[in-house]
Amino acid sequence: NSATFYLLTFLAIFAFHFAKKINVRQWVFSVFNILALVGFFYLAKRQLAILLLFVGLNYVLLHLLNRQAKYRVHFGWIIIAIAVSFLCFFKYSIFQSAITTIFPFSASLLKPLHFLGISFFSFRLISLIFDVVHDSTIQIRFLSYFNFLLFFPAYISGPLDRYERFSSDFEVVKVWEWSENYAAVRRIIVGLFKKVVIADLIAPFCLLKISSTDLAHLPSPTILGTLYLYGIFLYFDFSGYTDIVIGVSRLFGIQTPENFNRPYLAKNVQDFWNRWHMSLMSFLKDYLFFPLGRMWVALGVKNFNIISAVNFFLVFVLAGIWHGDGRNYIYYGIYHGIGYVIYFSYKSLSKKMFPVTWLAQLENSRWANASSIFITLSYITFSWFFFLDKGLVAHNLFARWL
């Protein structure tokens, strides 16, 4: 529970700073990471055993990869395929159902086998494999590798970090600075206030806590109000959690990446996704968008706008699927993919149709900024219908208006 987590965090920070040598600090931190994992998987020991075995297997595979020269890329893609298969099998019920259909005797062994934090763990692992494939100079040290993948403050819900950035902090002893630790503690307090006070106060009144049956009898303005409140709740809950993670990480000397930058002040869909869940979007751009772009070029597609539009759409569909095991998440990804492509197409066409100076003046006007923020916020807000699997509610709401 939360009390145990905070107690463990306090003890880990105390022990971490008491240890002066880097190797002692690393082992202390590793021990507390293992204790945290035991807490996370207390009622799922089989999953913990599988997770640790998979971490060990990939450590061996990565070292074998570093010894490859001729078939390095091919071997790397095999390891990535294994990591993706691990994610798909343990996150999406359709894959386990397929296995149990083909091999009925495996049903008792496989159900239920769902992993806490599997999405973020898998993406961290995939990013590491991808980086090692393309950079043979990356050195995989076991403690850095182990703690990067299973870093307990960020294990469940991120933010997503990169191995080289994490290891550059983890493998050096940083001097205790009161200013840095004060900033970290202040960040934790801000996060707790967002999550425990603001988010928890909003939660009972937002769409999340109201059943579809009850929503069917509410007037349209009330439904919209609960929807906007859910967006506010989600921001304070998620960004509050992120603030806590970043603060705790800094007390360990780890500069975990930022994840939010006032997303509800975004002026368009592209701007929103540059401000919301930033570490996820950075991952998807580096490990999906750009590789897909190179693939299309290699296949002979030269039109930049077509490549970008297709890639943006695919990125958001994957992001939707990554969020959870349900069709509603696919719809959520498609919804954002369509919005992103529409905005991208508008930007491309408007630059050709209108003078650049005129567009700049229009976009910088006070009314244009205000209306852009409101339209973007409303578009994002309606996506929560899909995210919460309240598509029927949205359908009924639009039916009333029509």
Side-chain angles (χ1 to χ4, degrees):
N1 56 33
S2 298
T4 304
F5 173 81
Y6 291 123
L7 176 61
L8 180 67
T9 301
F10 172 78
L11 292 174
I13 292 168
F14 178 79
F16 184 80
H17 284 285
F18 184 76
K20 300 299 182 183
K21 294 182 178 180
I22 185 62
N23 60 331
V24 177
R25 280 191 171 187
Q26 290 178 350
W27 278 106
V28 165
F29 194 64
S30 301
V31 168
F32 278 99
N33 255 337
I34 293 172
L35 291 175
L37 284 173
V38 171
F40 292 152
F41 290 91
Y42 183 72
L43 299 176
K45 296 179 178 63
R46 183 170 47 154
Q47 283 91 326
L48 177 58
I50 293 172
L51 178 66
L52 293 176
L53 285 172
F54 192 66
V55 169
L57 170 65
N58 277 277
Y59 179 72
V60 174
L61 291 175
L62 283 168
H63 274 278
L64 291 175
L65 175 63
N66 262 337
R67 296 179 183 179
Q68 290 290 325
K70 187 176 180 180
Y71 300 106
R72 183 180 185 84
V73 175
H74 300 85
F75 187 59
W77 280 111
I78 291 172
I79 303 174
I80 290 174
I82 293 171
V84 172
S85 300
F86 184 82
L87 169 63
C88 291
F89 182 78
F90 289 111
K91 186 176 179 71
Y92 304 108
S93 55
I94 187 173
F95 289 93
Q96 289 194 18
S97 297
I99 294 296
T100 54
T101 301
I102 299 170
F103 306 104
F105 62 86
S106 65
S108 60
L109 296 173
L110 297 179
K111 292 184 177 180
L113 263 183
H114 295 286
F115 273 82
L116 180 71
I118 186 68
S119 300
F120 286 90
F121 166 81
S122 298
F123 270 18
R124 277 190 287 266
L125 177 59
I126 290 168
S127 72
L128 172 57
I129 299 168
F130 194 94
D131 289 344
V132 172
V133 168
H134 293 90
D135 186 356
S136 59
T137 64
I138 295 176
Q139 298 296 314
I140 307 298
R141 298 175 181 84
F142 180 74
L143 289 182
S144 296
Y145 163 82
F146 177 85
N147 287 284
F148 165 70
L149 291 179
L150 304 173
F151 183 47
F152 78 88
Y155 174 77
I156 297 174
S157 296
L160 287 166
D161 207 345
R162 307 294 173 89
Y163 175 78
E164 283 193 283
R165 203 226 55 74
F166 177 89
S167 61
S168 66
D169 288 338
F170 185 73
E171 294 174 2
V172 298
V173 175
K174 294 188 176 180
V175 179
W176 179 290
E177 295 182 2
W178 283 107
S179 59
E180 176 66 22
N181 286 283
Y182 169 76
V185 171
R186 184 176 61 182
R187 190 72 181 265
I188 294 170
I189 293 171
V190 170
L192 286 170
F193 182 78
K194 283 183 180 179
K195 188 171 177 64
V196 178
V197 179
I198 300 177
D200 285 359
L201 283 174
I202 296 173
F205 308 103
C206 71
L207 189 67
L208 176 68
K209 298 295 183 179
I210 304 173
S211 67
S212 297
T213 305
D214 293 334
L215 283 169
H217 298 94
L218 292 176
S220 298
T222 304
I223 295 175
L224 287 176
T226 63
L227 187 61
Y228 277 93
L229 278 176
Y230 175 73
I232 297 170
F233 158 80
L234 185 61
Y235 168 72
F236 280 107
D237 186 67
F238 196 6
S239 69
Y241 161 85
T242 302
D243 286 337
I244 295 169
V245 169
I246 291 174
V248 170
S249 300
R250 288 181 178 176
L251 290 175
F252 288 116
I254 307 295
Q255 298 294 322
T256 297
E258 295 290 341
N259 224 15
F260 294 92
N261 181 22
R262 300 179 180 180
Y264 290 148
L265 294 179
K267 298 176 183 178
N268 53 67
V269 177
Q270 183 182 43
D271 188 25
F272 174 81
W273 283 106
N274 287 333
R275 296 164 173 260
W276 178 278
H277 214 328
M278 296 186 294
S279 64
L280 173 62
M281 295 314 297
S282 176
F283 173 93
L284 292 172
K285 285 179 182 178
D286 290 346
Y287 301 109
L288 184 63
F289 181 85
F290 293 123
L292 279 174
R294 290 190 289 269
M295 181 195 73
W296 292 124
V297 171
L299 291 174
V301 181
K302 303 298 182 181
N303 190 306
F304 169 78
N305 289 333
I306 292 176
I307 290 174
S308 298
V310 171
N311 287 357
F312 282 134
F313 183 77
L314 291 175
V315 161
F316 279 100
V317 171
L318 178 65
I321 294 171
W322 175 81
H323 273 87
D325 181 17
R327 286 180 296 179
N328 59 302
Y329 294 110
I330 300 175
Y331 302 147
Y332 173 76
I334 292 172
Y335 178 89
H336 278 289
I338 291 172
Y340 205 101
V341 170
I342 289 173
Y343 175 75
F344 174 78
S345 302
Y346 155 75
K347 288 292 289 184
S348 299
L349 290 172
S350 62
K351 289 178 181 178
K352 297 177 181 178
M353 296 173 63
F354 304 104
V356 176
T357 53
W358 184 82
L359 285 173
Q361 290 176 352
L362 177 64
E363 291 175 355
N364 291 326
S365 69
R366 184 178 300 176
W367 289 107
N369 283 335
S371 59
S372 296
I373 290 171
F374 176 73
I375 292 170
T376 303
L377 175 61
S378 298
Y379 185 83
I380 298 302
T381 296
F382 274 89
S383 73
W384 305 135
F385 274 130
F386 300 108
F387 192 77
L388 292 171
D389 200 13
K390 303 283 188 181
L392 183 60
V393 176
H395 176 270
N396 293 337
L397 184 64
F398 285 115
R400 291 183 194 177
W401 294 344
L402 298 174

